Amino acid sequence: LVLIAEIKTNISDPTLKTSIHEAIRNRYNLEPKALYFVKRKSIPLTTSGKLRRQYTLELIQQGKLPVIS
């Protein structure tokens, strides 16, 4: 499970990632492999507004998605 969340760039709470990780683990009994915060409107969408999941994964793997944290 890889999570990518768009956030405002002025959010700098160091416990945010930990809190989200714990919430996913406790609620769904899943262990996220990674959690990325990216700039708003940077996750690629199709022309109909759906997430381009595979392309987003490729961008993460290539280091081309603007990751904030």
Side-chain angles (χ1 to χ4, degrees), residues 3-9 11-18 20-21 34-39 60 65-69:
L3 301 168
I4 302 172
E6 292 182 342
I7 62 169
K8 294 180 181 179
T9 56
I11 295 176
S12 61
D13 182 355
T15 62
L16 187 57
K17 269 190 173 180
T18 303
I20 292 172
H21 244 99
L35 171 57
Y36 300 100
F37 293 133
V38 298
K39 293 180 183 179
I60 285 285
L65 197 66
V67 175
I68 296 171
S69 165

